[in-house]
Amino acid sequence: WRDWSSDVCSSDLFRGVVDLTALPQPTGPIAVQPGDTWHFQAWHRDSLLGGLTTSNFTDAVAVTFR
């Protein structure tokens, strides 16, 4: 898990560095291999009117590594 809050841009985008040699998995980190396709999605907080907050997920993206 990583706190991406400092990497959120004003255009509702976020950025971050991903260590392709140690992607976290339930059984321990593994390295990306050429030809692998990984799917990424972010879980984030949304602010609602009245100061309430909720959470939501971004659309997922698929990345195929060469």
Side-chain angles (χ1 to χ4, degrees):
W1 180 82
R2 183 188 186 297
D3 179 2
W4 297 91
S5 59
S6 63
D7 297 317
V8 174
C9 303
S10 61
S11 59
D12 293 330
L13 300 174
F14 69 93
R15 62 178 180 256
V17 176
V18 177
D19 182 356
L20 298 179
T21 66
L23 287 173
Q25 294 294 296
T27 57
I30 63 173
V32 168
Q33 300 297 314
D36 281 356
T37 299
W38 284 69
H39 300 85
F40 297 93
Q41 188 173 33
W43 182 25
H44 63 93
R45 278 194 197 114
D46 279 333
S47 296
L48 302 175
L49 292 175
L52 300 174
T53 59
T54 186
S55 64
N56 208 341
F57 292 96
T58 63
D59 292 336
V61 295
V63 179
T64 299
F65 294 92
R66 296 181 182 192

